[in-house]
Amino acid sequence: MNKYVKLIRIALVAATIMVATKPVSAQESTLYNALGQESGISRIVDETVIQILNDERIKSGFKDTNMKRLAQLLKEQFCVVAGGPCQYSGDEMAIVHEKLGITSAQFNALAEDLQAGMEKCNIPFAIQNKLIARLAPMKRDIVTVK
Ligand code: HEM
Protein backbone atom coordinates (compact mmCIF):
# COMPACT_ATOMS: atom_id res chain seq x y z
CA MET A 1 0.00 0.00 0.00
CA ASN A 2 1.17 3.52 -0.79
CA LYS A 3 2.79 5.20 2.25
CA TYR A 4 0.45 8.19 2.05
CA VAL A 5 -2.71 6.10 1.81
CA LYS A 6 -1.53 4.21 4.92
CA LEU A 7 -0.94 7.46 6.82
CA ILE A 8 -4.37 8.80 5.88
CA ARG A 9 -5.99 5.54 7.04
CA ILE A 10 -4.19 5.76 10.38
CA ALA A 11 -5.26 9.39 10.78
CA LEU A 12 -8.88 8.51 10.01
CA VAL A 13 -8.92 5.68 12.55
CA ALA A 14 -7.36 7.98 15.18
CA ALA A 15 -9.95 10.71 14.48
CA THR A 16 -12.80 8.19 14.75
CA ILE A 17 -11.51 6.94 18.10
CA MET A 18 -11.18 10.51 19.40
CA VAL A 19 -14.76 11.42 18.45
CA ALA A 20 -16.18 8.17 19.82
CA THR A 21 -14.46 8.55 23.19
CA LYS A 22 -15.19 12.24 23.67
CA PRO A 23 -17.41 12.65 26.76
CA VAL A 24 -21.11 12.85 25.88
CA SER A 25 -21.45 16.04 27.89
CA ALA A 26 -19.02 17.85 25.61
CA GLN A 27 -20.68 16.50 22.48
CA GLU A 28 -24.37 17.10 22.83
CA SER A 29 -25.84 17.02 26.31
CA THR A 30 -25.18 20.63 27.32
CA LEU A 31 -28.05 22.49 28.92
CA TYR A 32 -27.74 24.91 26.00
CA ASN A 33 -28.74 22.15 23.59
CA ALA A 34 -31.50 20.86 25.86
CA LEU A 35 -33.03 24.35 25.85
CA GLY A 36 -33.06 24.38 22.04
CA GLN A 37 -29.90 26.42 21.50
CA GLU A 38 -30.15 30.05 20.44
CA SER A 39 -33.66 29.91 18.96
CA GLY A 40 -35.02 27.87 21.87
CA ILE A 41 -33.59 30.27 24.44
CA SER A 42 -34.94 33.21 22.44
CA ARG A 43 -38.47 31.76 22.62
CA ILE A 44 -38.12 30.99 26.32
CA VAL A 45 -37.10 34.56 27.12
CA ASP A 46 -39.90 36.02 24.99
CA GLU A 47 -42.46 33.82 26.78
CA THR A 48 -40.96 34.68 30.16
CA VAL A 49 -41.16 38.41 29.47
CA ILE A 50 -44.87 37.98 28.67
CA GLN A 51 -45.32 36.20 32.01
CA ILE A 52 -43.42 38.94 33.88
CA LEU A 53 -45.45 41.75 32.31
CA ASN A 54 -48.66 39.96 33.33
CA ASP A 55 -47.48 39.16 36.84
CA GLU A 56 -49.22 41.46 39.34
CA ARG A 57 -46.53 40.66 41.92
CA ILE A 58 -43.68 42.24 39.93
CA LYS A 59 -44.87 43.89 36.71
CA SER A 60 -44.85 47.44 38.14
CA GLY A 61 -41.09 47.14 38.68
CA PHE A 62 -40.57 47.03 34.92
CA LYS A 63 -42.68 50.04 33.90
CA ASP A 64 -39.63 52.21 33.12
CA THR A 65 -37.56 49.40 31.62
CA ASN A 66 -36.71 48.98 27.94
CA MET A 67 -38.03 45.41 27.70
CA LYS A 68 -36.59 44.81 24.25
CA ARG A 69 -33.10 45.51 25.56
CA LEU A 70 -33.72 43.48 28.72
CA ALA A 71 -34.93 40.50 26.67
CA GLN A 72 -31.81 40.67 24.49
CA LEU A 73 -29.53 40.68 27.55
CA LEU A 74 -31.45 37.82 29.17
CA LYS A 75 -31.02 35.77 25.99
CA GLU A 76 -27.26 36.35 26.07
CA GLN A 77 -27.06 35.63 29.78
CA PHE A 78 -29.11 32.41 29.66
CA CYS A 79 -27.04 31.22 26.71
CA VAL A 80 -23.80 31.72 28.67
CA VAL A 81 -25.23 30.19 31.86
CA ALA A 82 -26.41 27.14 29.88
CA GLY A 83 -22.94 26.61 28.40
CA GLY A 84 -23.68 28.02 24.95
CA PRO A 85 -21.27 29.84 22.63
CA CYS A 86 -22.34 33.38 23.55
CA GLN A 87 -21.13 36.47 25.32
CA TYR A 88 -23.10 38.47 27.86
CA SER A 89 -22.81 42.19 27.14
CA GLY A 90 -24.78 43.54 30.11
CA ASP A 91 -23.69 44.73 33.53
CA GLU A 92 -23.09 42.70 36.66
CA MET A 93 -26.21 41.51 38.48
CA ALA A 94 -25.32 43.29 41.74
CA ILE A 95 -24.81 46.63 40.00
CA VAL A 96 -27.96 46.39 37.85
CA HIS A 97 -30.27 45.47 40.72
CA GLU A 98 -28.74 47.24 43.72
CA LYS A 99 -31.09 50.23 43.72
CA LEU A 100 -34.23 48.29 42.79
CA GLY A 101 -34.99 47.09 46.34
CA ILE A 102 -35.89 43.57 45.24
CA THR A 103 -37.27 41.14 47.83
CA SER A 104 -36.87 37.39 48.04
CA ALA A 105 -40.58 36.99 47.19
CA GLN A 106 -40.12 39.06 44.03
CA PHE A 107 -37.11 36.98 43.05
CA ASN A 108 -39.14 33.80 43.51
CA ALA A 109 -41.99 35.31 41.49
CA LEU A 110 -39.64 35.93 38.56
CA ALA A 111 -38.28 32.39 38.83
CA GLU A 112 -41.87 31.10 38.62
CA ASP A 113 -42.46 33.25 35.54
CA LEU A 114 -39.36 31.74 33.94
CA GLN A 115 -40.62 28.27 34.79
CA ALA A 116 -43.98 29.11 33.20
CA GLY A 117 -42.17 30.49 30.14
CA MET A 118 -40.24 27.24 29.76
CA GLU A 119 -43.44 25.24 30.25
CA LYS A 120 -44.96 27.17 27.31
CA CYS A 121 -41.97 26.05 25.24
CA ASN A 122 -42.44 22.41 26.29
CA ILE A 123 -39.10 22.23 28.08
CA PRO A 124 -39.06 19.09 30.26
CA PHE A 125 -39.35 19.71 34.01
CA ALA A 126 -35.85 18.35 34.78
CA ILE A 127 -34.31 20.75 32.25
CA GLN A 128 -36.36 23.65 33.63
CA ASN A 129 -34.92 22.90 37.04
CA LYS A 130 -31.37 22.87 35.70
CA LEU A 131 -31.65 26.40 34.32
CA ILE A 132 -33.32 27.65 37.51
CA ALA A 133 -30.58 26.01 39.58
CA ARG A 134 -27.88 27.79 37.60
CA LEU A 135 -29.58 31.16 38.10
CA ALA A 136 -30.37 30.62 41.79
CA PRO A 137 -26.91 31.67 43.07
CA MET A 138 -27.56 35.14 41.58
CA LYS A 139 -30.18 35.64 44.26
CA ARG A 140 -27.60 36.95 46.71
CA ASP A 141 -26.62 39.68 44.23
CA ILE A 142 -30.17 40.61 43.22
CA VAL A 143 -32.16 40.55 46.48
CA THR A 144 -31.32 43.52 48.67
CA VAL A 145 -34.46 43.73 50.86
CA LYS A 146 -35.39 41.24 53.55
C1 HEM B 1 -32.64 35.14 38.32
C2 HEM B 1 -33.20 36.33 38.39
C3 HEM B 1 -32.82 37.51 37.54
C4 HEM B 1 -31.97 37.59 36.47
C5 HEM B 1 -31.16 36.47 35.83
C6 HEM B 1 -31.99 38.96 36.02
C7 HEM B 1 -31.27 39.43 34.93
C8 HEM B 1 -31.26 40.74 34.50
C9 HEM B 1 -30.48 41.25 33.41
C10 HEM B 1 -29.56 40.42 32.52
C11 HEM B 1 -30.71 42.57 33.31
C12 HEM B 1 -30.09 43.56 32.30
C13 HEM B 1 -28.75 44.01 32.75
C14 HEM B 1 -28.29 45.32 32.15
O1 HEM B 1 -29.12 46.22 31.96
O2 HEM B 1 -27.08 45.45 31.86
C15 HEM B 1 -31.68 42.89 34.33
C16 HEM B 1 -32.22 44.14 34.53
C17 HEM B 1 -33.31 44.37 35.33
N1 HEM B 1 -33.85 43.52 36.25
FE1 HEM B 1 -33.28 41.64 36.59
N2 HEM B 1 -32.82 39.69 36.82
C18 HEM B 1 -33.35 38.83 37.76
C19 HEM B 1 -34.25 39.15 38.73
C20 HEM B 1 -34.94 40.32 38.78
C21 HEM B 1 -36.08 40.57 39.64
C22 HEM B 1 -36.65 39.57 40.66
C23 HEM B 1 -36.52 41.81 39.36
C24 HEM B 1 -37.68 42.58 39.96
C25 HEM B 1 -38.76 41.99 40.39
C26 HEM B 1 -35.65 42.37 38.34
C27 HEM B 1 -35.76 43.62 37.80
C28 HEM B 1 -34.94 44.13 36.83
C29 HEM B 1 -35.11 45.44 36.25
C30 HEM B 1 -36.21 46.46 36.59
C31 HEM B 1 -34.09 45.59 35.31
C32 HEM B 1 -33.82 46.78 34.40
C33 HEM B 1 -33.03 47.83 35.06
C34 HEM B 1 -32.88 48.99 34.11
O3 HEM B 1 -33.81 49.26 33.33
O4 HEM B 1 -31.84 49.62 34.13
N3 HEM B 1 -34.72 41.43 38.01
N4 HEM B 1 -31.97 41.77 35.04
Side-chain angles (χ1 to χ4, degrees), residues 17-130:
I17 291 170
M18 277 161 77
V19 169
T21 56
K22 206 174 159 195
V24 175
S25 60
Q27 267 182 45
E28 68 235 343
S29 81
T30 59
L31 180 56
Y32 173 72
N33 284 341
L35 293 170
Q37 302 189 337
E38 200 179 332
S39 62
I41 291 174
S42 180
R43 273 193 61 207
I44 290 168
V45 170
D46 290 341
E47 290 292 350
T48 302
V49 165
I50 294 172
Q51 301 292 324
I52 291 171
L53 294 179
N54 283 299
D55 188 336
E56 294 298 337
R57 298 170 294 180
I58 55 173
K59 70 178 189 183
S60 66
F62 293 88
K63 64 180 188 318
D64 299 324
T65 299
N66 176 346
M67 294 308 284
K68 221 176 147 189
R69 178 176 175 275
L70 176 59
Q72 183 52 40
L73 290 169
L74 285 173
K75 287 171 193 181
E76 291 175 8
Q77 189 191 40
F78 289 4
C79 175
V80 172
V81 164
C86 313
Q87 277 206 312
Y88 171 64
S89 64
D91 288 319
E92 280 173 34
M93 290 297 94
I95 293 169
V96 175
H97 298 93
E98 73 179 335
K99 296 208 174 79
L100 299 176
I102 295 171
T103 64
S104 181
Q106 287 171 326
F107 184 94
N108 294 341
L110 190 139
E112 278 176 34
D113 293 340
L114 170 58
Q115 192 128 27
M118 288 192 279
E119 197 65 48
K120 289 255 179 212
C121 296
N122 298 316
I123 302 295
F125 189 62
I127 303 296
Q128 294 177 20
N129 285 342
K130 279 192 183 159

